Amino acid sequence: MTETVVSTRLLEKRYGERTVVRGLDLDVRPGRAYGLLGPNGAGKTTTLRLVTGLIAPTAGTISVFGEQLTSATADRVRQRIGVQTDTELYTSLTARENLELWGGFFGLRGSEARRRTDEVLEMMSLTDRASSPVGSFSKGMRQKMAVGRALLPRPELLFLDEPTAGLDPEATEDLIADLTALMRDTDLTVVICTHQLAGLDTLCSDVGVLVGGTLVAQGDISELIARRWPRTPVRIDVAGDPARAAALVPDATVTSAGIEVQSASDADTEHAIATLAAGGIPIRAAVPQRPTVQDLYFATVADARRNAIESGKVVA
Ligand code: ATP
């Protein structure tokens, strides 16, 4: 098995004078979901189009399944990948008819097409709507259909471009739950371009952050968070005067309901709690304030923009 499913080196895309992707060293590991994040215009869709062979790079290399992506290999590589980019479906046909039709485009015939359609409807929790015309579907259901369509040929690698765009929080959660179950039950590798951060850490184990066409951070989400914030703050809510509690614990700051302690380890937290208890201060709650993927994203983008301003560059 190759160590990475997709990897790019010094990948660059220019349109005229404008460089929209620069020096990209992307590494997508097998069996994992990789969230490619970045503000509008950062180059996410362009990157997706490059690594799926839809557009040619200006410079650099792309390898998919360990094979260099070239005009000679692109067709072979594309047979092993699924790409969801739009939600255009035949609105007068039912969900089942749409998928069977698209299955035919992917070379699935007869009972095989019907069996795979049933499997995909099940994966996307659409079985009970299989016989409804797609024109009657909500936006969330159409997005699921678009993802399901990309899954029909059993891809080993699935690319999703903004699959939750325009969905309400429930529909977003629902789609993320279906994709998370899919990741759990198969060896599929997923690359998902998004700026929808809520729930992303349930689905994705890895992220890459693109700013102004440059990949400014990449790796395992937990490792990136631990590297950036080695000390996890712990909020300790107490009864009575928080100032009294703060006076007992080194480096504690007062909050409305208690104190916050910059804790390096569980032992530090336990020590703080024991100190408060010994001081006769009743403890109501102790809650680690772990940074989220949202915190990581905003901090990384802010750093990149600050660095760009300091070096006189303008970024998206
Ligand atoms: P969004 O989140 O808004 O979808 P994105 O991160 O996917 O943005 P891209 O669509 O990759 O960003 O666009 C990156 C930059 O490349 C933008 O400035 C865009 O205008 C430019 N760009 C994309 N395609 C072309 C093209 N065919 N010709 C010229 N410029 C292009």
Side-chain angles (χ1 to χ4, degrees), residues 1-307:
M1 188 186 277
T2 47
E3 247 175 68
T4 57
V5 173
V6 182
S7 92
T8 71
R9 289 296 172 264
L10 296 173
L11 185 63
E12 183 170 305
K13 182 67 184 174
R14 274 198 303 271
Y15 287 111
E17 293 293 289
R18 197 176 166 79
T19 305
V20 299
V21 167
R22 69 186 78 223
L24 209 71
D25 290 348
L26 196 79
D27 284 310
V28 179
R29 296 184 276 179
R32 297 171 72 105
Y34 182 111
L36 187 60
L37 316 179
N40 289 127
K44 302 180 294 297
T45 301
T46 304
T47 301
L48 194 143
R49 292 166 66 79
L50 284 165
V51 298
T52 52
L54 289 175
I55 53 171
T58 311
T61 59
I62 302 166
S63 102
V64 185
F65 304 119
E67 180 165 42
Q68 288 291 106
L69 189 68
T70 63
S71 51
T73 63
D75 276 349
R76 192 166 54 237
V77 167
R78 269 199 292 264
Q79 282 172 9
R80 298 171 64 185
I81 67 179
V83 186
Q84 165 271 321
T85 47
D86 60 56
T87 50
E88 283 188 20
L89 298 153
Y90 297 102
T91 50
S92 58
L93 300 185
T94 66
R96 185 186 301 284
E97 288 164 344
N98 261 280
L99 292 176
E100 285 183 8
L101 189 68
W102 280 94
F105 299 152
F106 291 123
L108 301 172
R109 302 269 174 262
S111 60
E112 197 195 358
R114 285 194 291 279
R115 194 169 50 245
R116 186 60 186 154
T117 293
D118 284 341
E119 284 170 7
V120 166
L121 287 166
E122 182 71 33
M123 280 179 211
M124 293 288 104
S125 319
L126 286 170
T127 305
D128 61 338
R129 298 300 299 268
S131 304
S132 305
V134 164
S136 69
F137 278 14
S138 69
K139 193 167 169 73
M141 292 160 78
R142 287 175 198 228
Q143 295 280 62
K144 284 185 173 205
M145 282 290 294
V147 175
R149 181 174 60 189
L151 287 170
L152 279 170
R154 295 192 175 81
E156 296 159 63
L157 170 62
L158 177 66
F159 290 94
L160 304 173
D161 194 6
E162 301 286 354
T164 56
L167 301 193
D168 68 27
E170 274 121 331
T172 299
E173 209 170 85
D174 192 23
L175 181 57
I176 287 180
D178 284 338
L179 289 170
T180 306
L182 186 68
M183 293 294 303
R184 195 188 48 226
D185 300 340
T186 64
D187 295 331
L188 188 68
T189 304
V190 175
V191 178
I192 172 168
C193 292
T194 187
H195 27 219
Q196 171 72 54
L197 302 171
L200 195 75
D201 36 4
T202 337
L203 175 63
C204 294
S205 37
D206 295 340
V207 284
V209 182
L210 264 181
V211 181
T214 303
L215 196 63
V216 294
Q218 173 174 246
D220 178 278
I221 295 176
S222 315
E223 285 172 19
L224 289 171
I225 288 176
R227 207 178 309 147
R228 188 178 177 99
W229 293 283
R231 290 158 68 91
T232 305
V234 178
R235 198 193 77 217
I236 304 176
D237 296 345
V238 298
D241 181 10
R244 244 191 86 220
L248 293 176
V249 179
D251 299 328
T253 50
V254 174
T255 67
S256 56
I259 59 172
E260 190 163 294
V261 187
Q262 292 296 324
S263 177
S265 66
D266 289 345
D268 289 342
T269 306
E270 285 159 18
H271 183 68
I273 290 171
T275 306
L276 292 171
I281 296 182
I283 296 165
R284 296 285 180 247
V287 188
Q289 306 292 293
R290 286 207 179 83
T292 62
V293 70
Q294 275 103 318
D295 298 323
L296 179 69
Y297 173 78
F298 287 120
T300 306
V301 172
D303 282 354
R305 289 196 165 134
R306 200 168 34 248
N307 291 341

